[in-house]
Amino acid sequence: MPVHNADIAAVFNEIADILEIQGENPFRIRAYRNAARVVGELGKETSELANEGMDLTELPGIGRDLAAKIREILDTGSCAVLKRLRKQVPVSVTQLMRLPGLGPKRVSALWHDLGIQTVEQLDRAARDRRLGELPGFGPKTEQRILETIAAHRDTAVRFKLAVAAQYASALTRYLRKTPGVENVVVTGSFRRMKETVGDLDILVTTGNPAAVIARFASYDEVREVLSKGRTRSTVVLKSGIQVDLRVVAPESFGAALHYFTGSKAHNIAIRRLGQERGLKINEYGVFRGAARIAGDTEESVYRSVGLPLIPPELREDRGEIEAASRGKLPMLVEARDLRGDLHAHTSATDGRNSLREMAVAAKTWGLEYLAITEHSRHLTVARGLDAAHLLRQCDEIDGLNAELPGITLLKGIEVDILEDGSLDLPDPVLAQLDLVIGAVHGQFHLSRARQTDRIVKAMENPYLNVLAHPSGRLLGSREPYDVDMLKILSTAPSHGCFLELNAHPERLDLLDTQCQMAREEGVLVAVNSDAHSVRDFDNLVYGVGQARRGWLEKTDILNTRKLHALRALLKRQD
Ligand code: DGT
Ligand code: CA
Ligand code: CA
């Protein structure tokens, strides 16, 4: 991934935070803060400026030393100074500074005098009334810290689904080895395939809860055990992710699975349906009076309120209960429905693997076709291709297609949509390709009207087939740009244009609600990996998860089509 201005600013701010905790020279601290602000507020990506050969010391307050650090961050994503400082002050201590009311002096005192390194430890110490001993902390401060932590919890960092999946799969593998366990399932937002998860909720069924609880707490990735009871426990892993464990008896599996999968809003609506029928629904089962009438399976819970099973991805109380009651639930797309992938990069630009390696990996994953879509010239950070290089790649693709059975490479490009809506390559070049996807990679801050016009104009180009990552958001670092998505969706069909659902873990873009809009507007969605290496095809699973959250069926997805049908859909309008 390219390094963005926000990344550079974050590095400088973290350096400044650490220096402050260490009580360093205020001028040095201010220099880093200033650099963070200057870079953060630049209208253009620093990476672009650097690539255009700009001398970064021309930026206000950036001297030779800071300019060199910016280059280092652009090249490596971090910088040596920060790595060294992090060894002196743990990241979790620096993060305490984010809590309102906690400045560097207080954080330093908490750490040095009470050994407090994490928000959880701070919470515990405040509850135990241990903060009052410290100079500068009274009972009022203690109370305020408790309130702040409670509020902070709601906005605390969320983990990207693909990242959470790594922690979840290691932990569930470990728990499955406990003697006597039956089911181990990750529930909560994770099971609903939400793009980010606040914490992991793991449900275990067994006749021997004590063994599971004990094994859970002694997992070697556990940083802190927050609570440990007979049937539940909460821990924080070293990665910072919190995990709630619940253990129930095997006969409650379905009811507990339903309860802990949520969402809360969906559960409330289902419980209300139960109440209307005189039923009580909780994590142990469905009850009529004292009699337990359902709960072994999730199906039985839904059946008790007269509904078919609703897939977890739909459980957001966005109309799924009504659809279920009318027999109108969508037949959600599945990963195995995908026949191809229309967005991938190779080592010809910023990818890590060769054309051949990507083709073989796509075939191994089960795909029948793969579009190679390098960046165009304008995106200099990714060493975008010019026309000559692109046409050379097309020849290479012809060669590989003649040689490799079972997979067809399509000739494509991820062409930059320039600020005025024109494309970064001339039409006669685009005309030689099988597929053109267009993407916005800069000027995110245009007004809503101008951003919308820009994209609509790009779609008017007869060669543009797919609008890539349409909202432009990067999870945790960039909000979607302001654009009239409904207008884009309603314009797309008349230009033969499709929208991408980019499955890259940082993107997952189209958003789930926009998928629903696309379906209503009759716009096919392409679930694409945006693979930069052979391993990235696995991300398609998360793209499909998001498509399912957006109610999409197999027929709503462009790349579930057979190759000949796809080619017909990509045919030029002219
Ligand atoms: P997250 O962790 O913020 O990404 O979102 P969830 O949906 O995983 O929420 P979480 O971890 O607080 O709770 C997991 C599930 O447990 C939730 O989706 C529904 C259920 N649940 C939690 N607290 C309550 C509650 O107070 N009432 C009800 N009915 N269900 C709850
Ligand atoms: Ca959760
Ligand atoms: Ca939870």
Side-chain angles (χ1 to χ4, degrees):
M1 287 301 287
V3 173
H4 298 281
N5 289 346
D7 305 323
I8 301 170
V11 170
F12 286 157
N13 271 324
E14 192 179 339
I15 292 175
D17 288 346
I18 297 177
L19 294 175
E20 272 196 289
I21 293 170
Q22 293 179 323
E24 277 287 332
N25 177 344
F27 292 103
R28 200 169 155 219
I29 295 165
R30 202 169 309 146
Y32 281 111
R33 292 268 183 239
N34 175 64
R37 192 180 44 77
V38 166
V39 172
E41 292 173 0
L42 274 180
K44 196 168 176 185
E45 290 287 356
T46 309
S47 50
E48 286 180 42
L49 296 174
N51 270 296
E52 286 163 8
M54 177 182 171
D55 177 2
L56 297 175
T57 60
E58 287 167 29
L59 297 172
I62 306 287
R64 288 247 296 281
D65 175 60
L66 283 167
K69 289 203 174 65
I70 293 176
R71 294 235 171 229
E72 186 188 355
I73 299 166
L74 288 174
D75 290 343
T76 68
S78 182
C79 88
V81 170
L82 176 59
K83 285 186 190 143
R84 200 182 67 235
L85 287 171
R86 276 185 175 174
K87 290 199 185 115
Q88 298 165 11
V89 180
V91 176
S92 61
V93 170
T94 313
Q95 282 172 346
L96 291 177
M97 291 247 299
R98 304 224 180 107
L99 293 172
L102 284 189
K105 286 217 182 66
R106 282 186 169 154
V107 168
S108 170
L110 290 167
W111 180 36
H112 288 119
D113 298 346
L114 294 180
I116 290 173
Q117 300 203 8
T118 66
V119 176
E120 297 83 41
Q121 290 168 345
L122 178 62
D123 190 32
R124 185 81 51 78
R127 280 175 205 285
D128 295 350
R129 307 279 166 224
R130 282 189 283 127
L131 301 184
E133 309 156 16
L134 290 178
F137 287 81
K140 263 197 196 138
T141 318
E142 213 163 46
Q143 187 54 35
R144 220 179 40 235
I145 285 175
L146 280 173
E147 285 161 12
T148 305
I149 293 173
H152 179 76
R153 205 158 267 147
D154 298 336
T155 55
V157 251
R158 298 182 61 83
F159 288 77
K160 295 176 190 106
L161 185 59
V163 174
Q166 294 169 13
Y167 304 128
S169 76
L171 176 53
T172 50
R173 227 178 301 127
Y174 168 86
L175 288 174
R176 283 198 184 98
K177 291 188 195 137
T178 325
V181 299
E182 295 196 358
N183 297 288
V184 178
V185 189
V186 189
T187 62
S189 51
F190 183 89
R191 184 164 179 246
R192 303 197 311 279
M193 298 293 277
K194 218 171 152 186
E195 57 213 10
T196 61
V197 303
D199 69 357
L200 290 172
D201 305 280
I202 297 186
L203 173 66
V204 173
T205 60
T206 179
N208 183 2
V212 178
I213 298 281
R215 189 166 162 84
F216 180 62
S218 57
Y219 184 45
D220 68 3
E221 282 295 304
V222 168
R223 187 171 76 197
E224 195 177 0
V225 178
L226 297 183
S227 72
K228 196 169 156 210
R230 284 197 312 118
T231 59
R232 64 171 79 190
S233 174
T234 298
V235 302
V236 181
L237 300 185
K238 286 176 185 157
S239 55
I241 198 166
Q242 186 170 314
V243 188
D244 285 343
L245 173 74
R246 274 301 291 262
V247 186
V248 300
E251 66 269 20
S252 292
F253 181 50
L257 190 53
H258 180 257
Y259 184 93
F260 294 113
T261 296
S263 66
K264 205 167 161 181
H266 174 88
N267 286 1
I268 289 171
I270 295 292
R271 269 204 308 274
R272 193 171 303 132
L273 285 182
Q275 279 157 10
E276 286 167 12
R277 293 162 180 251
L279 301 175
K280 182 163 176 254
I281 302 176
N282 60 27
E283 62 265 55
Y284 303 107
V286 180
F287 299 87
R288 184 182 299 285
R292 186 169 175 282
I293 62 158
D296 309 19
T297 64
E298 277 193 315
E299 282 89 343
S300 75
V301 175
Y302 283 102
R303 206 181 310 121
S304 73
V305 293
L307 296 178
L309 180 79
I310 298 177
E313 294 90 338
L314 296 183
R315 299 182 195 170
E316 299 291 347
D317 196 21
R318 288 188 197 145
E320 72 277 9
I321 293 173
E322 204 222 333
S325 70
R326 292 192 295 123
K328 297 269 193 234
L329 281 177
M331 291 277 292
L332 298 179
V333 61
E334 295 181 31
R336 63 160 183 260
D337 295 332
L338 297 184
R339 288 179 183 272
D341 183 349
L342 302 179
H343 188 163
H345 300 267
T346 75
S347 49
T349 58
D350 63 345
R352 273 194 292 280
N353 292 97
S354 67
L355 257 184
R356 178 189 297 270
E357 287 164 344
M358 293 301 278
V360 170
K363 181 182 166 188
T364 306
W365 203 86
L367 300 178
E368 295 162 23
Y369 51 87
L370 172 68
I372 302 300
T373 56
E374 310 283 14
H375 290 290
S376 64
R377 189 75 183 279
H378 186 75
L379 200 67
T380 42
V381 264
R383 292 182 288 127
L385 296 187
D386 59 20
H389 284 93
L390 175 60
L391 296 178
R392 204 172 314 145
Q393 186 180 62
C394 289
D395 291 341
E396 245 185 283
I397 287 177
D398 284 335
L400 274 175
N401 278 340
E403 188 193 323
L404 286 177
I407 180 89
T408 302
L409 292 176
L410 300 176
K411 300 165 195 166
I413 188 83
E414 178 180 5
V415 67
D416 252 46
I417 297 175
L418 303 179
E419 184 169 357
D420 64 358
S422 62
L423 303 183
D424 187 30
L425 279 167
D427 285 359
V429 175
L430 300 180
Q432 301 180 52
L433 302 174
D434 296 312
L435 165 93
V436 174
I437 66 181
V440 165
H441 284 126
Q443 288 91 32
F444 302 111
H445 299 295
L446 298 185
S447 69
R448 182 181 179 86
R450 280 186 62 202
Q451 196 70 276
T452 307
D453 286 351
R454 172 194 193 180
I455 292 173
V456 167
K457 171 150 183 262
M459 291 195 303
E460 283 166 3
N461 182 303
Y463 298 106
L464 189 84
N465 301 111
V466 178
L467 177 63
H469 42 75
S471 90
R473 67 101 174 260
L474 291 178
L475 283 167
S477 64
R478 190 167 74 216
E479 290 297 308
Y481 40 70
D482 191 11
V483 77
D484 185 347
M485 192 60 78
L486 191 57
K487 179 157 181 201
I488 290 173
L489 284 166
S490 60
T491 312
S494 60
H495 300 299
C497 202
F498 306 100
L499 264 66
E500 175 178 80
L501 193 177
N502 189 300
H504 191 289
E506 300 240 312
R507 293 195 180 271
L508 288 172
D509 175 10
L510 276 185
L511 313 191
D512 50 8
T513 47
Q514 295 171 338
C515 289
Q516 258 176 311
M517 280 161 61
R519 180 171 147 94
E520 280 154 21
E521 295 295 322
V523 178
L524 296 188
V525 171
V527 178
N528 293 337
S529 68
D530 199 353
H532 283 69
S533 86
V534 291
R535 286 196 313 274
D536 293 346
F537 294 110
D538 288 339
N539 290 332
L540 286 169
V541 170
Y542 303 110
V544 169
Q546 174 112 325
R548 289 167 65 87
R549 288 179 59 81
W551 293 56
L552 298 186
E553 304 190 342
K554 179 178 176 180
T555 49
D556 300 318
I557 308 289
L558 179 63
N559 46 322
T560 56
R561 302 296 196 273
K562 292 192 173 134
L563 182 55
H564 70 87
L566 174 81
R567 284 195 195 277
L569 285 165
L570 296 178
K571 267 248 158 57
R572 314 289 175 217
Q573 303 293 296
D574 52 4

